[in-house]
Amino acid sequence: MARCPVSGRIAAVLFDRDGTLVEDVPYNGDPGRVRALPGAADAVRLLREAGVPTGVVSNQSGIGRGILTEDQVRRVNARVDELLGPFDVWAVCPHHPDADCACRKPRPGLVVEAARRLGVTVRDCVVIGDIGADVLAAYAAGARGVLVPTEATLAEEIAAAPRVAPDLLTAVEGLLASMAAGPAGGSAGPMEGPFGETAASGRPAGTGLPAERPVRTAGAAGGPASAPDGPGSPSGAGGAAPAGAAGRRERSA
């Protein structure tokens, strides 16, 4: 599996939750069932020691489906913080997949909101996740993405991702190595999307993916909810991701 370096300044690293930091338990509302994945604690610790802010961006549609309450998600997130954190920011999409919200990955809202709360430029953020929607959300926001495949990852998602690491610790070690080797200062330059999209237009370059579709802005029906910062606070921001992978695969969240 190729290890693809990330160039440019890294101001923050944002993680997907389920399948990336902790075991993916479908619609988990029980903190007692939270289990950190191998290497996750060391990966987050290395970033913390290097002074790199960290956050979590997570789809939690169990709330919108009526399976989970916001309090249950908040308590599960607090347990993740106990095991691996504390993380500097949490951004959670509580909406049903059919809500057409602006925050559900692969749309960029969660990434944009996390960067805003951290006070960093979104282009200087890296998102690490285990499925294509995580990488697409990063790209749609103007950030960079690293895919860490699991059994849930589609082969086509692995083939399309520009940056793939075999595990979370390797991904983070690669980021830190690139920071040490790269030039000081400066933001990341223009980037082609993971499925050949051009950053200026959001349109695919010969991949068969459709152009991005309009989304509802914050405050519109079905748009992102607003809540105080903290583990499990539903949040989001406007923007759109290339629509071709918006429903690439519906995972438990």
Side-chain angles (χ1 to χ4, degrees):
M1 183 179 296
R3 177 175 172 180
C4 302
V6 171
S7 61
R9 180 171 181 266
I10 299 174
V13 176
L14 307 175
F15 297 94
D16 170 55
R17 192 191 80 176
D18 302 318
T20 301
L21 291 172
V22 299
E23 294 178 4
D24 187 4
V25 178
Y27 306 118
N28 182 27
D30 180 2
R33 300 183 69 189
V34 175
R35 299 287 185 273
L37 287 172
D42 287 337
V44 178
R45 175 183 55 79
L46 287 176
L47 289 169
R48 188 178 299 115
E49 291 176 351
V52 179
T54 59
V56 181
V57 288
S58 179
N59 291 344
Q60 293 297 322
S61 73
I63 298 172
R65 298 174 190 270
I67 299 172
L68 298 171
T69 66
E70 290 186 12
D71 183 65
Q72 285 177 309
V73 171
R74 192 173 288 111
R75 288 190 292 109
V76 167
N77 290 346
R79 178 56 177 162
V80 177
D81 254 346
E82 291 175 2
L83 293 174
L84 303 174
F87 292 93
D88 298 295
V89 68
W90 284 78
V92 174
C93 171
H95 303 115
H96 191 285
D98 295 337
D100 198 30
C101 67
C103 50
R104 179 176 171 81
K105 294 178 294 184
R107 293 190 174 186
L110 295 182
V111 178
V112 172
E113 177 67 5
R116 182 192 68 79
R117 293 186 190 176
L118 289 171
V120 300
T121 302
V122 71
R123 291 178 61 83
D124 294 336
C125 294
V126 176
V127 179
I128 302 179
D130 67 316
I131 62 174
D134 300 315
V135 176
L136 283 170
Y139 162 71
R144 290 154 288 168
V146 178
L147 185 71
V148 178
T150 65
E151 293 181 358
T153 314
L154 296 178
E156 63 202 69
E157 293 175 330
I158 299 172
R163 303 175 185 89
V164 180
D167 55 70
L168 189 58
L169 183 56
T170 299
V172 168
E173 289 175 338
L175 295 181
L176 294 175
S178 70
M179 289 176 61
S187 295
M191 182 183 73
E192 183 182 85
F195 295 92
E197 305 91 341
T198 58
S201 66
R203 294 181 181 276
T207 63
L209 287 181
E212 60 185 27
R213 58 194 172 103
V215 298
R216 298 168 182 165
T217 57
S226 59
D229 289 358
S233 298
S235 58
R248 272 183 89 69
R249 177 163 49 93
E250 171 59 17
R251 200 164 68 176
S252 63

